[in-house]
Amino acid sequence: MQNVSVSVKDLSLSFGAVTVLDTLNLDIKDGEFLVLLGSSGCGKSTLLNCIAGLLDVSDGQIFIKNKNVTWEEPKDRGIGMVFQSYALYPQMSVEKNLSFGLQVAKVPKEEIDKRVRRASEILQIQPLLKRKPSELSGGQRQRVAIGRALVRDVDVFLFDEPLSNLDAKLRSELRVEIKRLHQSLKNTMIYVTHDQIEALTLADRIAVMKSGVIQQLADPMTIYNAPENLFVAGFIGSPSMNFFRGELQLRDQRAYVHANGVDFDVSAYPSRAPFVHGQKVVLGLRPEHVRVDEAASGAQASHRAVVDIEEPMGADNLLWLKLAGQSMSVRIAGQRRYAPGTAVTLSFDMAVASIFDATSENRL
Amino acid sequence: MSDIVAFNSVADEALPQAQTDRVVAGPRGRKPRRALSGRNIMIYGTLIIVALYYLLPLYVMVMTSLKGMPEIRLGNIFAPPLEITFEPWVKAWSSACTGLNCDGLSRGFWNSVRITIPSTIVSIAIASVNGYALANWRFKGAELFFTILIVGAFIPYQVMIYPIVIVLREMGIYGTLTGLIMVHTIFGMPILTLLFRNYFAGLPEELFKAARVDGAGFWTIYFKIMLPMSLPIFVVAMILQVTGIWNDFLFGVVFTRPEYYPMTVQLNNIVNSVQGVKEYNVNMAATILTGAVPLFVYFVSGRLFVRGIAAGAVKG
Ligand SMILES: Nc1ncnc2c1ncn2[C@@H]1O[C@H](COP(=O)(O)OP(=O)(O)O)[C@@H](O)[C@H]1O
Ligand SMILES: [Mg+2]
């Protein structure tokens, strides 16, 4: 691959008897914004700490800018890191926090001043330079923490859940700022989060992790529209994808998923391999891919259901319905309201559905 | 909040007169508590009794030390002095006799200072680095090292006295202040290391990681990052060591020669000296003088002590 910035080869790591990462491979392109996404405890931070050099790997290699840094100290890897708890040195002023790393590296005074000034301009923290971290708000603290990575002129930025300690409003503000920062600096950034919105909005590519294994590595739209397996499909999207367990049936030149006595016509599904009659499958339908009370286009069959609960959310309206003996969610435009108990007809766009093998849980 | 207020005022207007009265007359604001409830009597009663129990001996000591011998012979130990005299204090400090010499407690005081200050500084310096290394740099064998240290804390002192005497003799420092300082430093190590390790382990790990990414090494992180955040635990360690070493009697007797005896040993020799009449006032004054240093340390830094104990000792 050309212009690889960070490359993780056959990385394994265990804490005593517990293996957290097992022969993990990952290549990150130069200037790429890669998000490691997964639920808590899946090994995201562990992987990031290995790349940073804060954890000794049990096996495998790590390359940064084509240099083998597996045994290098964190400071020699050309990385800067931003932590969830900000990790600002409490007894130092903002200015000292920014310049600490440069002072340790014995950078000349004028150069330090220049870089601190530049970083504080980019992050708009000049008025805060003389303050102590305890006198800053959460958002300002995280800005300073980003500045600390910025002054060191590093090749790779590592973020470990940098926005998780902030309230919702600040989080979305700083998210935009991080994206802007990436667009102007064009550094490689590796960003750990458990928040799928952050992942989808920021990433060039997302690596979805589960129990230390990367489940899918792709751009956000591919992850969202064509999840590689059942885990990724269920993890991404809120409310999550509706799943129907059933059996494939081929008759009259058409393909159906037969689930709980209901036939879903999946002939329009772009399957990678020909369907096999009788195969046990899981059909996945995103809430926004269900049409309510609209004429089915072409030969699409429609289904009848009754509205159970309505959750108006402003722009959208979320309906919970009963279909094929189970509850499913449907997202419609906010102004379309349905009282509970209303009977509706549903039709599905199978071209954007997902079908997984029930045993391997992989996409068909 | 403002919504609720607005709602209430609207409701008030709409309600018939009788109902508004009832709303207004109902409980409102802070719930009253009776000052003399059974619970309060129990709590304050117990506290007062315990406080008296501890303060009474101190009271008797202070009163006795301010009396002359004729007044003491009257026998009422609780009565305040009719005639206040500081003579016993002066005598206790500068001319009370032990078996060997008659220059009072002052010699012991300066010996104790020369023992306590170096022992406290050296033991805290070493233990804080130990604790820092154990908490933050999980080096190979760290667990084993820590376990050995903790087990060491549970071996009774008496078992180790004779072997240590031999070790000190072989090193040629038996009977010297250096030897005693070394013994105090070593015996303070387990508990102090545990104290510092727990404190440093309780500091955010990401701070340590950030410093490493910034390129700081072992000593830079210790001095520039950890030390400035650790004042409370250093005060705790200082208090533990100063009071512990100052109050030590056993090591002082065993490991030094009479001219280096610490204040506690000197006090014992004055109080137990068999010549002449028992000078209770001098003995009391001497005892208070000996206890003054730990008392002073507690009063000056007690608040930090509580904070440091809370921060360092609770978290595993
Ligand atoms: N120092 C450690 N010792 C033992 N187990 C650890 C240690 N650090 C992390 N783990 C375990 O490794 C797993 C992955 O942790 P981590 O990488 O922090 O997850 P996350 O994806 O939430 O960042 C977790 O199950 C955690 O319990
Ligand atoms: Mg984590």
Side-chain angles (χ1 to χ4, degrees), chain A residues 105-256:
Chain A
K106 304 217 160 55
V107 174
K109 179 95 176 59
E110 311 85 71
E111 177 67 17
I112 293 181
D113 287 346
K114 208 180 83 196
R115 291 210 217 162
V116 168
R117 215 173 320 119
R118 179 173 155 266
S120 51
E121 267 165 32
I122 293 176
L123 295 164
Q124 296 169 356
I125 50 175
Q126 300 107 309
L128 312 176
L129 283 179
K130 297 289 172 223
R131 294 206 204 159
K132 288 277 171 64
S134 57
E135 299 161 343
L136 304 178
S137 70
Q140 291 170 331
R141 284 181 207 186
Q142 200 52 290
R143 245 174 259 235
V144 175
I146 295 172
R148 198 164 51 180
L150 210 56
V151 291
R152 292 182 54 245
D153 256 347
V154 293
D155 302 318
V156 182
F157 277 73
L158 307 176
F159 294 90
D160 194 350
E161 311 225 12
L163 307 182
S164 296
N165 280 9
L166 301 173
D167 59 52
K169 186 163 174 292
L170 266 175
R171 202 180 306 165
S172 53
E173 277 175 27
L174 222 55
R175 199 173 68 210
V176 173
E177 238 171 276
I178 289 175
K179 185 150 192 169
R180 189 174 296 135
L181 196 69
H182 179 244
Q183 280 173 4
S184 62
L185 295 178
K186 301 191 169 56
N187 286 48
T188 309
M189 295 192 175
I190 307 178
Y191 187 106
V192 163
T193 183
H194 65 266
D195 182 322
Q196 47 171 305
I197 304 296
E198 278 172 34
L200 292 168
T201 52
L202 288 170
D204 292 328
R205 281 195 303 165
I206 299 175
V208 182
M209 287 180 70
K210 178 193 171 195
S211 324
V213 178
I214 294 179
Q215 303 288 317
Q216 186 170 6
L217 174 61
D219 64 282
M221 282 307 106
T222 307
I223 295 260
Y224 189 81
N225 292 321
E228 203 53 44
N229 59 35
L230 207 52
F231 173 80
V232 177
F235 191 79
I236 303 275
S238 170
S240 68
M241 195 182 259
N242 301 296
F243 292 119
F244 296 92
R245 286 186 178 273
E247 191 184 271
L248 269 178
Q249 292 183 351
L250 305 176
R251 46 189 144 82
D252 318 328
Q253 318 271 293
R254 302 199 68 81
Y256 298 91

Side-chain angles (χ1 to χ4, degrees), chain B:
Chain B
M1 203 56 201
S2 59
D3 287 354
I4 296 170
V5 173
F7 172 78
N8 275 348
S9 61
V10 170
D12 282 351
E13 284 163 28
L15 285 172
Q17 191 56 41
Q19 272 186 13
T20 19
D21 281 353
R22 209 176 52 216
V23 170
V24 171
R28 183 190 170 112
R30 182 195 298 264
K31 187 174 176 185
R33 299 193 193 283
R34 276 192 308 139
L36 274 179
S37 63
R39 187 164 147 267
N40 280 0
I41 291 173
M42 272 298 290
I43 291 175
Y44 288 101
T46 312
L47 286 176
I48 288 167
I49 289 169
V50 171
L52 282 181
Y53 181 81
Y54 277 97
L55 284 176
L56 210 56
L58 185 66
Y59 169 81
V60 171
M61 283 170 69
V62 173
M63 290 306 135
T64 310
S65 74
L66 294 173
K67 290 174 186 172
M69 278 313 285
E71 212 183 316
I72 290 174
R73 285 195 202 96
L74 295 178
N76 188 353
I77 59 169
F78 293 107
L82 299 169
E83 209 180 318
I84 291 178
T85 169
F86 291 99
E87 196 55 37
W89 287 74
V90 176
K91 185 168 183 197
W93 176 254
S94 56
S95 61
C97 291
T98 64
L100 297 164
N101 49 46
C102 280
D103 46 11
L105 274 175
S106 56
R107 172 200 294 269
F109 175 81
W110 291 115
N111 281 340
S112 279
V113 169
R114 283 158 70 195
I115 294 164
T116 305
I117 290 180
S119 308
T120 302
I121 293 175
V122 173
S123 59
I124 289 179
I126 297 176
S128 62
V129 175
N130 276 353
Y132 159 67
L134 284 168
N136 288 312
W137 300 84
R138 303 198 180 85
F139 55 92
K140 214 174 160 68
E143 292 298 314
L144 181 69
F145 176 77
F146 188 59
T147 312
I148 291 174
L149 206 59
I150 296 306
V151 168
F154 291 105
I155 299 176
Y157 288 178
Q158 294 80 341
V159 175
M160 294 194 268
I161 285 178
Y162 188 51
I164 290 177
V165 168
I166 294 172
V167 169
L168 291 182
R169 192 190 61 207
E170 293 304 310
M171 291 171 72
I173 51 174
Y174 175 66
T176 64
L177 283 181
T178 317
L180 183 58
I181 289 166
M182 213 177 85
V183 170
H184 277 307
T185 303
I186 292 170
F187 274 87
M189 216 37 60
I191 187 71
L192 286 187
T193 302
L194 178 68
L195 193 72
F196 278 106
R197 191 200 77 115
N198 285 359
Y199 183 82
F200 288 131
L203 293 178
E205 198 191 357
E206 294 192 337
L207 218 46
F208 173 76
K209 289 183 177 173
R212 283 198 64 199
V213 171
D214 263 344
F218 187 91
W219 292 110
T220 312
I221 295 179
Y222 175 75
F223 283 112
K224 293 269 176 68
I225 310 292
M226 295 298 175
L227 271 198
M229 288 195 296
S230 314
L231 178 68
I233 204 68
F234 273 87
V235 172
V236 170
M238 195 264 291
I239 293 177
L240 284 181
Q241 285 302 81
V242 167
T243 55
I245 296 170
W246 192 274
N247 291 338
D248 161 69
F249 180 85
L250 181 64
F251 293 168
V253 177
V254 175
F255 297 116
T256 55
R257 284 194 294 270
E259 68 258 41
Y260 295 135
Y261 277 162
M263 205 172 183
T264 45
V265 179
Q266 202 90 346
L267 170 69
N268 171 68
N269 292 353
I270 289 174
V271 172
N272 288 337
S273 131
V274 284
Q275 308 134 339
V277 287
K278 278 254 183 249
E279 292 182 294
Y280 289 109
N281 50 358
V282 174
N283 292 350
M284 293 297 181
T287 309
I288 297 173
L289 279 174
T290 309
V293 168
L295 263 183
F296 176 77
V297 171
Y298 275 128
F299 277 124
V300 170
S301 40
R303 207 167 44 87
L304 280 169
F305 182 78
V306 173
R307 232 199 309 153
I309 282 286
V314 180
K315 290 178 198 138

